[in-house]
Amino acid sequence: ELFNQVLSDVNLEKEIKNLLIYKKALFNADFQSENTMIEILKPIINSNSNWKLHSLLLLGDYFLSKGEKQKAKDFYTQILTSQQTNKNIFFQAQQRILENYVK
C-alpha cells in the first residue's frame, strides 16, 4: 500500500518512479502471484527504462524459484538478446541459463 501511495501521490522523475516500481516488485516477490508480479513490472518491461533488465532478471529468478523453468528461461533470454547493455545483468542471466539449462 505504501508503494502505491508514494507512486500515485508524488511527482517523481520517470526513472525514480521505475526504481520504486522495481522495489515494490522485489519486496512483494515472496508472496505475490505471477500475474501480480508481471502486472507490477509491466510498465518497466514495456519501456526502455534503466530498470528493464533488472526487472527481467527478477522475473526470471521469480519463475525459477517457482520451478517454472521455461518461463524463467524466456525472461533470461530477453536479457541476452536485449539492445540495452548492462554487463553485470547480462552475465547473471547467462550464468543462470548455463547452470539450469545446459548440461
Side-chain angles (χ1 to χ4, degrees):
E1 294 295 321
L2 182 59
F3 284 106
N4 291 338
Q5 185 177 3
V6 171
L7 288 167
S8 67
D9 290 347
V10 179
N11 188 13
L12 300 170
E13 281 182 39
K14 184 177 182 180
E15 287 303 319
I16 299 297
K17 190 172 187 172
N18 286 337
L19 172 59
L20 286 172
I21 292 169
Y22 173 76
K23 286 187 173 190
K24 175 183 175 182
L26 189 60
F27 180 79
N28 285 288
D30 287 337
F31 46 88
Q32 290 296 332
S33 69
E34 67 180 67
N35 289 338
T36 301
M37 289 297 294
I38 291 172
E39 202 57 39
I40 290 171
L41 291 170
K42 190 181 288 187
I44 298 173
I45 293 170
N46 292 333
S47 72
N48 288 322
S49 171
N50 294 329
W51 297 101
K52 180 176 183 172
L53 298 181
H54 295 275
S55 298
L56 292 170
L57 186 65
L58 176 60
L59 286 170
D61 291 347
Y62 172 83
F63 284 112
L64 191 60
S65 75
K66 301 289 184 190
E68 298 190 42
K69 293 180 93 174
Q70 185 57 50
K71 288 181 182 178
K73 186 178 181 183
D74 292 343
F75 285 106
Y76 297 142
T77 302
Q78 285 182 55
I79 294 168
L80 298 179
T81 59
S82 173
Q83 298 299 317
Q84 292 178 300
T85 55
N86 181 319
K87 289 180 184 177
N88 185 27
I89 301 290
F90 179 88
F91 288 127
Q92 287 183 55
Q94 188 177 49
Q95 188 64 35
R96 305 266 197 309
I97 287 178
L98 290 173
E99 289 172 357
N100 294 285
Y101 305 98
V102 178
K103 304 259 184 209

